[in-house]
Amino acid sequence: MRVVTQRIIVIASGLSACLAVVIIALQLLSSEITQAQRHIAHSTLNLTQSVIYDSLQSLDDLSHLDIEDCSDSALLKMRQVVFLSDYIKDVGFIQNERLVCTTTGGALASPMELEPPTFSTGLGFDLWLNQQLVVFDNLLSGVVLRKGDFNVVVNNNTFGNLEFGDNQWEIVNRYNNQITHLIGTPGIFKQAQLNEYEEANDNFHYFHRCSENYEFCVALSLYNYTLIRNKLAFLAFSLLFSFAFGIITSICSESLIRRHVSVGSRLRRGLKKGYFSYQIQPLVDLKTKRIIGGEVLARFEDQHGRLFPDEFIPEIRRLRLTWPFTQHIIETALHELQASKVIQKDTKISFNIFPNDVESNQIAALSELVEVKQFDGNITLEITEDLQLDSLNANRNINHIIQQGFEVAIDDFGTGYSNLKQLKNFRCQYLKIDKSFVFELEAGAIRSSLVPHMVDIAHKSNLKVIAEGIENVMQSKALELLGVEYGQGWMFGKPMPIDVFIEKYLASQQDNKS
């Protein structure tokens, strides 16, 4: 179930990352489209202002040239104005409300009667829209502006850069809040009372802006998909990048989850957050069958499940967390046992000690722990045989801790390095026979024949013997006949929570008195 949950988290993280990149890409695209559309609107407004300014400036220049006829010199002056202008395609001279000559056609054979203007602006010039004119033998659709005796022609194609896709645009004249269509698509312009206005939805962006100097406004309705089509490469790249980023995120998430649920990470968090607990396995006097104490055994469980001692003990060693772990278990267990008010002076509580903590003398700190000072019973430190007991440091440190009032037991005797010479180097109190020897007592195997010799070695060294792994009466009786003083095993009780242990301990004391 945990694996399925982790897989769901990995997939969800990848999809979330992919979606986040897509959202960011769309936001960037939307922002870019908006900026592009604003740029188009402002460019159009600036272009329109430039056309009007250039046209009016040219008309003013023409009025100062003292032109009174269509002579060659007059036409030359008019053509110079066209040449200097960026937008004007033709200039005409008017007399008596008739067009008499143009820069492209010269003097007209028959003066042309002028039609009424489309409208007259408040700036003093008249305007004709969408006039069909012949310029250099080419038919031209344009806008004609007149002021005084001259008019100028601006090609409608000047605004051709607005004609793309389905976008629509309009230039209007606004005078006294009256709107007059000039060029583009009629009806695009709206919100006449506002000089600047912007509106956006899922389909299009609308902009308009009115000139501060002239009586006209430019409006654009720009469709999003028109610009999106120009960003297909960006969209494709964004999708590919989001997919790749999602995969990378999934891989990283899986790596982080694996690290998070690794034994090492769980143990580190466990020491900080109290995921370690303990149980107590009773220690019994084999003659009286009375519980005289127990061995404290560490347990671990967090939100990811349980870890067994053979899983977390080696990892604790590898992480070099042996002493913080040991100190936590000792402090917790002694505090709760002392708080139970059932501990007596002869109660024996034992803890397993890592050999490296003996070698480095971390165990010297035990006597300074508050819980140790307040504990009424006896504390036994069990040291496994993978410690080289003939080490000078180990020898000195063990003897020092014994002098401070602790008892020491050699755990799992017969499976490690210990021998009789090593046992004599320090004054330990107990020797624990490994359960593998006890299991074979009934079968009469070779290993079981070593048990009497171990007991004999211990007694000759003034050590008391504890046998582990006793499961039945036959084993218990055989060990008792060999002179083994104490025993542990499922026959007397499995490792149990403190409240169960206290109940059994009190019952045992009561049975012994009766």
Side-chain angles (χ1 to χ4, degrees):
M1 186 64 182
R2 291 197 301 270
V3 174
V4 174
T5 301
Q6 292 169 13
R7 179 58 58 184
I8 292 174
I9 293 174
V10 169
I11 295 174
S13 64
L15 291 176
S16 298
C18 183
L19 181 61
V21 172
V22 171
I23 291 174
I24 292 173
L26 291 177
Q27 289 178 339
L28 290 175
L29 181 61
S30 175
S31 177
E32 185 175 349
I33 289 175
T34 300
Q35 292 301 321
Q37 292 170 330
R38 286 174 180 165
H39 175 73
I40 292 172
H42 296 159
S43 296
T44 303
L45 177 66
N46 293 335
L47 171 64
T48 306
Q49 290 188 137
S50 297
V51 170
I52 293 178
Y53 176 81
D54 186 55
S55 299
L56 293 180
Q57 186 66 44
S58 298
L59 290 170
D60 287 339
D61 292 342
L62 288 166
S63 66
H64 292 94
L65 291 178
D66 194 23
I67 297 175
E68 297 181 354
D69 54 28
C70 292
S71 64
D72 291 340
S73 61
L75 289 172
L76 178 61
K77 292 178 182 180
M78 293 165 58
R79 291 184 181 115
Q80 287 175 341
V81 171
V82 175
F83 178 78
L84 293 175
S85 171
D86 293 326
Y87 307 106
I88 295 174
K89 300 301 180 182
D90 198 5
V91 172
F93 178 58
I94 301 169
Q95 285 183 331
N96 299 321
E97 298 301 314
R98 296 175 181 229
L99 182 67
V100 295
C101 60
T102 65
T103 56
T104 57
L108 301 181
S110 299
M112 182 182 297
E113 188 88 25
L114 292 180
E115 297 178 358
T118 304
F119 68 93
S120 298
T121 70
L123 297 176
F125 66 92
D126 296 328
L127 191 67
W128 288 261
L129 301 175
N130 296 320
Q131 297 296 298
Q132 301 299 314
L133 307 169
V134 177
V135 178
F136 295 119
D137 297 328
N138 293 316
L139 185 63
L140 177 73
S141 177
V143 177
V144 178
L145 292 86
R146 176 195 174 179
K147 187 176 182 181
D149 294 334
F150 298 91
N151 64 18
V152 295
V153 177
V154 178
N155 192 344
N156 280 348
N157 290 335
T158 300
F159 304 98
N161 64 327
L162 296 178
E163 302 288 349
F164 61 95
D166 295 323
N167 295 324
Q168 296 178 318
W169 60 279
E170 181 182 21
I171 299 176
V172 300
N173 178 262
R174 185 178 71 170
Y175 182 69
N176 291 331
N177 286 328
Q178 295 296 317
I179 303 301
T180 302
H181 169 76
L182 299 183
I183 192 171
T185 303
I188 296 300
F189 180 82
K190 52 187 174 180
Q191 299 292 341
Q193 68 274 20
L194 299 176
N195 288 332
E196 289 192 29
Y197 179 71
E198 178 178 348
E199 178 184 333
N201 58 37
D202 293 337
N203 296 320
F204 66 90
H205 275 72
Y206 169 85
F207 298 90
H208 83 232
R209 184 178 171 192
C210 296
S211 172
E212 296 178 358
N213 302 316
Y214 307 108
E215 299 168 348
F216 72 90
C217 302
V218 177
L220 294 98
S221 182
L222 306 169
Y223 286 85
N224 295 335
Y225 64 83
T226 302
L227 291 177
I228 288 177
R229 283 201 299 265
N230 297 328
K231 302 295 181 180
L232 291 179
F234 173 79
L235 288 174
F237 172 78
S238 299
L239 290 175
L240 289 175
F241 179 79
S242 66
F243 181 71
F245 187 71
I247 293 176
I248 293 173
T249 301
S250 296
I251 294 173
C252 293
S253 298
E254 186 172 13
S255 176
L256 289 174
I257 290 174
R258 285 180 178 177
R259 184 179 301 176
H260 182 77
V261 301
S262 67
V263 175
S265 296
R266 292 171 64 185
L267 295 180
R268 289 182 186 276
R269 291 194 301 273
L271 283 175
K272 295 178 180 179
K273 298 184 178 181
Y275 295 150
F276 281 99
S277 60
Y278 68 92
Q279 292 184 340
I280 303 176
Q281 185 171 28
L283 175 67
V284 175
D285 185 317
L286 289 182
K287 287 185 179 180
T288 64
K289 302 302 185 289
R290 180 174 68 92
I291 297 176
I292 61 171
E295 179 181 0
V296 175
L297 301 171
R299 296 291 183 264
F300 180 91
E301 184 172 5
D302 61 6
Q303 67 270 27
H304 301 294
R306 294 180 181 179
L307 291 176
F308 295 100
D310 59 352
E311 294 178 284
F312 66 75
I313 292 297
E315 189 67 14
I316 284 176
R317 292 191 188 202
R318 187 186 70 81
L319 296 174
R320 298 182 180 180
L321 296 173
T322 54
W323 184 245
F325 162 77
T326 300
Q327 182 175 331
H328 171 72
I329 296 298
I330 290 176
E331 289 177 334
T332 304
L334 292 183
H335 175 77
E336 294 185 1
L337 286 168
Q338 185 66 26
S340 70
K341 306 296 184 182
V342 303
I343 299 301
Q344 303 176 17
K345 290 184 178 181
D346 61 349
T347 303
K348 299 181 183 298
I349 300 297
S350 63
F351 298 91
N352 291 285
I353 301 296
F354 288 92
N356 56 290
D357 290 333
V358 176
E359 187 75 25
S360 63
N361 202 29
Q362 294 279 9
I363 57 175
L366 284 173
S367 59
E368 301 300 322
L369 298 180
V370 174
E371 291 78 7
V372 171
K373 293 179 179 179
Q374 294 177 347
F375 189 65
D376 292 334
N378 294 322
I379 299 175
T380 301
L381 306 178
E382 297 187 9
I383 304 171
T384 57
E385 279 199 278
D386 55 0
L387 171 67
Q388 291 286 350
L389 296 179
D390 58 353
S391 164
L392 292 178
N393 284 339
N395 192 332
R396 181 175 62 251
N397 297 339
I398 291 174
N399 285 325
H400 178 71
I401 204 74
I402 290 173
Q403 291 172 5
Q404 292 180 325
F406 295 91
E407 294 183 327
V408 174
I410 302 302
D411 196 12
D412 299 333
F413 186 77
T415 62
Y417 306 108
S418 299
N419 55 47
L420 179 60
K421 180 181 177 181
Q422 292 172 336
L423 293 176
K424 290 180 179 180
N425 287 335
F426 54 90
R427 300 184 301 277
C428 64
Q429 287 78 20
Y430 304 99
L431 184 148
K432 295 188 73 173
I433 297 176
D434 185 67
K435 59 185 177 183
S436 62
F437 294 94
V438 176
F439 288 161
E440 298 187 5
L441 280 174
E442 295 178 274
I446 295 177
R447 287 176 63 85
S448 66
S449 65
L450 297 176
V451 175
H453 298 288
M454 294 180 184
V455 176
D456 185 57
I457 290 173
H459 288 164
K460 287 181 179 179
S461 302
N462 297 318
L463 303 177
K464 294 183 179 181
V465 180
I466 304 171
E468 298 181 293
I470 301 174
E471 295 185 349
N472 54 54
V473 175
M474 181 272 174
Q475 294 171 347
S476 175
K477 190 64 177 177
L479 292 167
E480 182 182 346
L481 291 174
L482 290 174
V484 176
E485 289 84 359
Y486 308 109
Q488 283 180 268
W490 286 11
M491 176 181 173
F492 310 114
K494 297 179 180 180
M496 59 192 68
I498 182 174
D499 55 341
V500 179
F501 170 77
I502 290 172
E503 182 181 347
K504 287 183 174 291
Y505 177 79
L506 289 174
S508 176
Q509 303 302 312
Q510 190 65 34
D511 290 343
N512 185 66
K513 290 179 182 180
S514 61

Short mmCIF file of all heavy atoms in Angstrom, two decimals, residues 306-348:
data_model
loop_
_atom_site.label_atom_id
_atom_site.label_comp_id
_atom_site.label_asym_id
_atom_site.label_seq_id
_atom_site.Cartn_x
_atom_site.Cartn_y
_atom_site.Cartn_z
N ARG A 306 6.82 -0.49 10.80
CA ARG A 306 7.79 -0.94 11.79
C ARG A 306 9.11 -1.30 11.15
O ARG A 306 9.17 -1.69 9.99
CB ARG A 306 7.25 -2.17 12.54
CG ARG A 306 6.02 -1.90 13.39
CD ARG A 306 5.58 -3.18 14.08
NE ARG A 306 4.39 -2.95 14.89
CZ ARG A 306 3.77 -3.89 15.58
NH1 ARG A 306 4.23 -5.15 15.55
NH2 ARG A 306 2.70 -3.61 16.30
N LEU A 307 10.15 -1.18 11.94
CA LEU A 307 11.47 -1.71 11.60
C LEU A 307 11.89 -2.65 12.72
O LEU A 307 11.75 -2.31 13.90
CB LEU A 307 12.51 -0.59 11.45
CG LEU A 307 12.35 0.36 10.25
CD1 LEU A 307 13.41 1.46 10.32
CD2 LEU A 307 12.47 -0.40 8.94
N PHE A 308 12.38 -3.83 12.35
CA PHE A 308 12.81 -4.79 13.34
C PHE A 308 14.25 -4.49 13.76
O PHE A 308 15.01 -3.86 13.01
CB PHE A 308 12.68 -6.21 12.80
CG PHE A 308 11.26 -6.60 12.53
CD1 PHE A 308 10.74 -6.57 11.23
CD2 PHE A 308 10.43 -6.98 13.57
CE1 PHE A 308 9.43 -6.92 10.98
CE2 PHE A 308 9.11 -7.34 13.34
CZ PHE A 308 8.61 -7.30 12.03
N PRO A 309 14.64 -4.95 14.95
CA PRO A 309 15.99 -4.66 15.44
C PRO A 309 17.10 -5.07 14.47
O PRO A 309 18.10 -4.35 14.34
CB PRO A 309 16.06 -5.46 16.75
CG PRO A 309 14.65 -5.50 17.23
CD PRO A 309 13.82 -5.62 15.98
N ASP A 310 16.93 -6.23 13.80
CA ASP A 310 17.99 -6.63 12.88
C ASP A 310 18.06 -5.72 11.65
O ASP A 310 19.02 -5.78 10.88
CB ASP A 310 17.82 -8.09 12.45
CG ASP A 310 16.47 -8.35 11.78
OD1 ASP A 310 15.62 -7.43 11.79
OD2 ASP A 310 16.27 -9.45 11.26
N GLU A 311 17.04 -4.84 11.46
CA GLU A 311 17.07 -3.85 10.39
C GLU A 311 17.68 -2.54 10.86
O GLU A 311 18.49 -1.93 10.15
CB GLU A 311 15.64 -3.58 9.88
CG GLU A 311 14.97 -4.74 9.19
CD GLU A 311 13.56 -4.41 8.76
OE1 GLU A 311 12.66 -4.37 9.63
OE2 GLU A 311 13.35 -4.16 7.55
N PHE A 312 17.27 -2.07 12.06
CA PHE A 312 17.72 -0.73 12.46
C PHE A 312 19.01 -0.72 13.27
O PHE A 312 19.73 0.28 13.28
CB PHE A 312 16.61 0.04 13.19
CG PHE A 312 16.17 -0.49 14.52
CD1 PHE A 312 16.95 -0.31 15.66
CD2 PHE A 312 14.94 -1.13 14.66
CE1 PHE A 312 16.52 -0.76 16.90
CE2 PHE A 312 14.51 -1.58 15.89
CZ PHE A 312 15.30 -1.41 17.01
N ILE A 313 19.34 -1.81 13.96
CA ILE A 313 20.58 -1.81 14.76
C ILE A 313 21.82 -1.64 13.89
O ILE A 313 22.67 -0.78 14.17
CB ILE A 313 20.68 -3.09 15.62
CG1 ILE A 313 19.60 -3.09 16.70
CG2 ILE A 313 22.07 -3.20 16.25
CD1 ILE A 313 19.72 -1.96 17.69
N PRO A 314 21.99 -2.42 12.78
CA PRO A 314 23.16 -2.19 11.93
C PRO A 314 23.20 -0.79 11.33
O PRO A 314 24.28 -0.20 11.17
CB PRO A 314 23.00 -3.26 10.83
CG PRO A 314 22.13 -4.31 11.43
CD PRO A 314 21.19 -3.58 12.32
N GLU A 315 22.01 -0.24 11.01
CA GLU A 315 21.98 1.10 10.42
C GLU A 315 22.36 2.16 11.44
O GLU A 315 23.03 3.15 11.11
CB GLU A 315 20.58 1.38 9.86
CG GLU A 315 20.47 2.65 9.03
CD GLU A 315 21.24 2.58 7.73
OE1 GLU A 315 21.65 1.47 7.33
OE2 GLU A 315 21.43 3.63 7.10
N ILE A 316 21.97 1.96 12.68
CA ILE A 316 22.36 2.89 13.74
C ILE A 316 23.88 2.90 13.90
O ILE A 316 24.49 3.96 14.09
CB ILE A 316 21.66 2.52 15.06
CG1 ILE A 316 20.19 2.96 15.00
CG2 ILE A 316 22.34 3.18 16.26
CD1 ILE A 316 19.39 2.56 16.19
N ARG A 317 24.46 1.74 13.79
CA ARG A 317 25.94 1.68 13.85
C ARG A 317 26.55 2.42 12.68
O ARG A 317 27.50 3.19 12.84
CB ARG A 317 26.39 0.21 13.82
CG ARG A 317 26.03 -0.58 15.07
CD ARG A 317 26.75 -1.90 15.05
NE ARG A 317 26.31 -2.78 16.12
CZ ARG A 317 27.01 -3.78 16.60
NH1 ARG A 317 28.20 -4.02 16.11
NH2 ARG A 317 26.54 -4.54 17.56
N ARG A 318 26.00 2.19 11.48
CA ARG A 318 26.56 2.83 10.29
C ARG A 318 26.43 4.34 10.37
O ARG A 318 27.35 5.07 9.95
CB ARG A 318 25.83 2.31 9.04
CG ARG A 318 26.46 2.77 7.73
CD ARG A 318 25.61 2.36 6.55
NE ARG A 318 24.37 3.11 6.49
CZ ARG A 318 24.28 4.35 5.98
NH1 ARG A 318 25.35 4.97 5.51
NH2 ARG A 318 23.11 4.96 5.94
N LEU A 319 25.34 4.82 10.91
CA LEU A 319 25.11 6.26 11.02
C LEU A 319 25.83 6.87 12.22
O LEU A 319 25.78 8.10 12.40
CB LEU A 319 23.60 6.53 11.16
CG LEU A 319 22.72 6.15 9.96
CD1 LEU A 319 21.25 6.34 10.31
CD2 LEU A 319 23.09 6.97 8.74
N ARG A 320 26.47 6.05 13.01
CA ARG A 320 27.19 6.50 14.22
C ARG A 320 26.25 7.23 15.18
O ARG A 320 26.59 8.28 15.75
CB ARG A 320 28.37 7.40 13.82
CG ARG A 320 29.40 6.68 12.96
CD ARG A 320 30.58 7.57 12.63
NE ARG A 320 31.55 6.87 11.80
CZ ARG A 320 32.69 7.39 11.35
NH1 ARG A 320 32.98 8.66 11.66
NH2 ARG A 320 33.52 6.68 10.62
N LEU A 321 25.09 6.65 15.33
CA LEU A 321 24.09 7.21 16.26
C LEU A 321 23.91 6.30 17.47
O LEU A 321 22.89 6.39 18.18
CB LEU A 321 22.74 7.37 15.54
CG LEU A 321 22.70 8.37 14.38
CD1 LEU A 321 21.36 8.29 13.67
CD2 LEU A 321 22.96 9.78 14.88
N THR A 322 24.89 5.46 17.71
CA THR A 322 24.72 4.45 18.76
C THR A 322 24.49 5.08 20.14
O THR A 322 23.60 4.64 20.88
CB THR A 322 25.94 3.54 18.81
OG1 THR A 322 27.13 4.34 18.94
CG2 THR A 322 26.05 2.70 17.54
N TRP A 323 25.27 6.09 20.48
CA TRP A 323 25.12 6.63 21.82
C TRP A 323 23.84 7.46 21.98
O TRP A 323 23.12 7.29 22.98
CB TRP A 323 26.33 7.45 22.24
CG TRP A 323 26.19 7.92 23.66
CD1 TRP A 323 26.06 9.19 24.12
CD2 TRP A 323 26.11 7.08 24.81
NE1 TRP A 323 25.91 9.22 25.46
CE2 TRP A 323 25.93 7.92 25.94
CE3 TRP A 323 26.16 5.69 25.01
CZ2 TRP A 323 25.81 7.43 27.23
CZ3 TRP A 323 26.06 5.21 26.31
CH2 TRP A 323 25.87 6.07 27.40
N PRO A 324 23.48 8.35 21.05
CA PRO A 324 22.18 9.03 21.18
C PRO A 324 21.02 8.05 21.29
O PRO A 324 20.09 8.27 22.07
CB PRO A 324 22.10 9.87 19.90
CG PRO A 324 23.50 10.10 19.51
CD PRO A 324 24.24 8.85 19.90
N PHE A 325 21.08 6.96 20.51
CA PHE A 325 20.03 5.94 20.57
C PHE A 325 20.02 5.27 21.95
O PHE A 325 18.96 5.16 22.58
CB PHE A 325 20.28 4.91 19.47
CG PHE A 325 19.57 3.62 19.65
CD1 PHE A 325 18.22 3.50 19.38
CD2 PHE A 325 20.26 2.50 20.11
CE1 PHE A 325 17.56 2.29 19.56
CE2 PHE A 325 19.60 1.29 20.29
CZ PHE A 325 18.25 1.20 20.02
N THR A 326 21.18 4.82 22.42
CA THR A 326 21.26 4.14 23.71
C THR A 326 20.80 5.04 24.85
O THR A 326 20.04 4.64 25.73
CB THR A 326 22.69 3.66 23.97
OG1 THR A 326 23.08 2.75 22.92
CG2 THR A 326 22.81 2.95 25.31
N GLN A 327 21.26 6.29 24.84
CA GLN A 327 20.90 7.23 25.90
C GLN A 327 19.39 7.47 25.89
O GLN A 327 18.77 7.54 26.97
CB GLN A 327 21.65 8.54 25.71
CG GLN A 327 21.37 9.56 26.79
CD GLN A 327 22.22 10.81 26.64
OE1 GLN A 327 23.33 10.76 26.13
NE2 GLN A 327 21.71 11.93 27.09
N HIS A 328 18.79 7.60 24.72
CA HIS A 328 17.34 7.81 24.63
C HIS A 328 16.58 6.64 25.25
O HIS A 328 15.63 6.84 26.03
CB HIS A 328 16.94 8.00 23.18
CG HIS A 328 15.46 8.02 22.95
ND1 HIS A 328 14.66 9.07 23.32
CD2 HIS A 328 14.62 7.07 22.42
CE1 HIS A 328 13.40 8.80 23.01
NE2 HIS A 328 13.35 7.59 22.46
N ILE A 329 16.95 5.42 24.91
CA ILE A 329 16.26 4.23 25.42
C ILE A 329 16.43 4.13 26.93
O ILE A 329 15.46 3.87 27.67
CB ILE A 329 16.78 2.96 24.73
CG1 ILE A 329 16.46 3.00 23.23
CG2 ILE A 329 16.20 1.71 25.38
CD1 ILE A 329 14.98 3.04 22.92
N ILE A 330 17.64 4.35 27.43
CA ILE A 330 17.90 4.25 28.87
C ILE A 330 17.10 5.30 29.64
O ILE A 330 16.43 4.99 30.64
CB ILE A 330 19.41 4.38 29.16
CG1 ILE A 330 20.15 3.15 28.66
CG2 ILE A 330 19.67 4.58 30.67
CD1 ILE A 330 21.66 3.23 28.82
N GLU A 331 17.15 6.55 29.19
CA GLU A 331 16.43 7.62 29.89
C GLU A 331 14.92 7.36 29.89
O GLU A 331 14.26 7.52 30.93
CB GLU A 331 16.73 8.96 29.22
CG GLU A 331 18.15 9.45 29.45
CD GLU A 331 18.44 10.74 28.71
OE1 GLU A 331 17.77 10.99 27.67
OE2 GLU A 331 19.32 11.50 29.14
N THR A 332 14.39 6.97 28.75
CA THR A 332 12.94 6.75 28.65
C THR A 332 12.49 5.59 29.53
O THR A 332 11.52 5.70 30.30
CB THR A 332 12.54 6.48 27.19
OG1 THR A 332 12.98 7.56 26.37
CG2 THR A 332 11.03 6.33 27.06
N ALA A 333 13.19 4.46 29.43
CA ALA A 333 12.79 3.27 30.18
C ALA A 333 12.93 3.47 31.68
O ALA A 333 12.02 3.13 32.46
CB ALA A 333 13.62 2.07 29.72
N LEU A 334 14.05 4.02 32.13
CA LEU A 334 14.26 4.21 33.57
C LEU A 334 13.25 5.19 34.15
O LEU A 334 12.76 5.01 35.27
CB LEU A 334 15.69 4.69 33.84
CG LEU A 334 16.80 3.68 33.56
CD1 LEU A 334 18.16 4.28 33.94
CD2 LEU A 334 16.57 2.38 34.32
N HIS A 335 12.93 6.24 33.40
CA HIS A 335 11.96 7.22 33.88
C HIS A 335 10.60 6.57 34.09
O HIS A 335 9.95 6.78 35.14
CB HIS A 335 11.85 8.37 32.87
CG HIS A 335 10.78 9.36 33.22
ND1 HIS A 335 10.94 10.31 34.21
CD2 HIS A 335 9.51 9.53 32.71
CE1 HIS A 335 9.83 11.02 34.30
NE2 HIS A 335 8.95 10.57 33.40
N GLU A 336 10.13 5.78 33.11
CA GLU A 336 8.81 5.16 33.22
C GLU A 336 8.80 4.05 34.28
O GLU A 336 7.80 3.89 35.00
CB GLU A 336 8.38 4.64 31.86
CG GLU A 336 8.17 5.75 30.84
CD GLU A 336 7.62 5.24 29.52
OE1 GLU A 336 7.38 4.02 29.42
OE2 GLU A 336 7.43 6.05 28.60
N LEU A 337 9.88 3.29 34.39
CA LEU A 337 9.94 2.24 35.41
C LEU A 337 9.94 2.84 36.80
O LEU A 337 9.24 2.36 37.71
CB LEU A 337 11.18 1.38 35.20
CG LEU A 337 11.12 0.40 34.02
CD1 LEU A 337 12.51 -0.17 33.73
CD2 LEU A 337 10.13 -0.72 34.31
N GLN A 338 10.72 3.90 36.99
CA GLN A 338 10.77 4.54 38.31
C GLN A 338 9.42 5.16 38.66
O GLN A 338 8.98 5.11 39.82
CB GLN A 338 11.87 5.61 38.32
CG GLN A 338 12.10 6.26 39.67
CD GLN A 338 12.65 5.28 40.70
OE1 GLN A 338 13.30 4.30 40.35
NE2 GLN A 338 12.40 5.54 41.97
N ALA A 339 8.73 5.71 37.63
CA ALA A 339 7.42 6.34 37.87
C ALA A 339 6.37 5.31 38.25
O ALA A 339 5.34 5.66 38.84
CB ALA A 339 6.98 7.12 36.64
N SER A 340 6.58 4.03 37.94
CA SER A 340 5.61 2.99 38.27
C SER A 340 5.56 2.67 39.77
O SER A 340 4.62 2.03 40.23
CB SER A 340 5.95 1.71 37.49
OG SER A 340 7.14 1.13 37.99
N LYS A 341 6.58 3.06 40.52
CA LYS A 341 6.65 2.87 41.98
C LYS A 341 6.75 1.39 42.39
O LYS A 341 6.48 1.05 43.55
CB LYS A 341 5.43 3.48 42.68
CG LYS A 341 5.17 4.95 42.34
CD LYS A 341 6.28 5.84 42.82
CE LYS A 341 5.95 7.30 42.55
NZ LYS A 341 7.04 8.22 42.97
N VAL A 342 7.13 0.51 41.48
CA VAL A 342 7.23 -0.91 41.84
C VAL A 342 8.68 -1.40 41.88
O VAL A 342 8.94 -2.55 42.24
CB VAL A 342 6.43 -1.79 40.84
CG1 VAL A 342 4.98 -1.35 40.79
CG2 VAL A 342 7.06 -1.75 39.44
N ILE A 343 9.61 -0.55 41.50
CA ILE A 343 11.01 -0.95 41.43
C ILE A 343 11.59 -1.10 42.85
O ILE A 343 11.46 -0.20 43.69
CB ILE A 343 11.83 0.06 40.62
CG1 ILE A 343 11.29 0.13 39.19
CG2 ILE A 343 13.30 -0.33 40.60
CD1 ILE A 343 11.30 -1.17 38.44
N GLN A 344 12.23 -2.24 43.07
CA GLN A 344 12.88 -2.50 44.35
C GLN A 344 14.39 -2.50 44.18
O GLN A 344 14.91 -2.47 43.05
CB GLN A 344 12.39 -3.85 44.90
CG GLN A 344 10.88 -3.93 45.07
CD GLN A 344 10.42 -5.30 45.51
OE1 GLN A 344 11.20 -6.12 45.99
NE2 GLN A 344 9.12 -5.56 45.35
N LYS A 345 15.10 -2.57 45.29
CA LYS A 345 16.56 -2.49 45.23
C LYS A 345 17.18 -3.66 44.49
O LYS A 345 18.24 -3.53 43.89
CB LYS A 345 17.13 -2.41 46.65
CG LYS A 345 16.83 -1.10 47.35
CD LYS A 345 17.51 -1.04 48.71
CE LYS A 345 17.25 0.31 49.39
NZ LYS A 345 17.92 0.41 50.69
N ASP A 346 16.52 -4.83 44.55
CA ASP A 346 17.09 -6.00 43.87
C ASP A 346 16.55 -6.20 42.46
O ASP A 346 16.82 -7.20 41.81
CB ASP A 346 16.84 -7.26 44.70
CG ASP A 346 15.34 -7.53 44.90
OD1 ASP A 346 14.54 -6.64 44.57
OD2 ASP A 346 15.01 -8.63 45.36
N THR A 347 15.73 -5.24 41.98
CA THR A 347 15.23 -5.34 40.60
C THR A 347 16.38 -5.09 39.62
O THR A 347 17.09 -4.10 39.73
CB THR A 347 14.12 -4.31 40.35
OG1 THR A 347 13.07 -4.50 41.30
CG2 THR A 347 13.56 -4.45 38.94
N LYS A 348 16.52 -6.02 38.66
CA LYS A 348 17.62 -5.91 37.70
C LYS A 348 17.05 -5.52 36.34
O LYS A 348 16.24 -6.25 35.77
CB LYS A 348 18.36 -7.25 37.59
CG LYS A 348 19.00 -7.72 38.89
CD LYS A 348 19.72 -9.03 38.67
CE LYS A 348 20.30 -9.54 40.01
NZ LYS A 348 21.29 -8.61 40.56
#
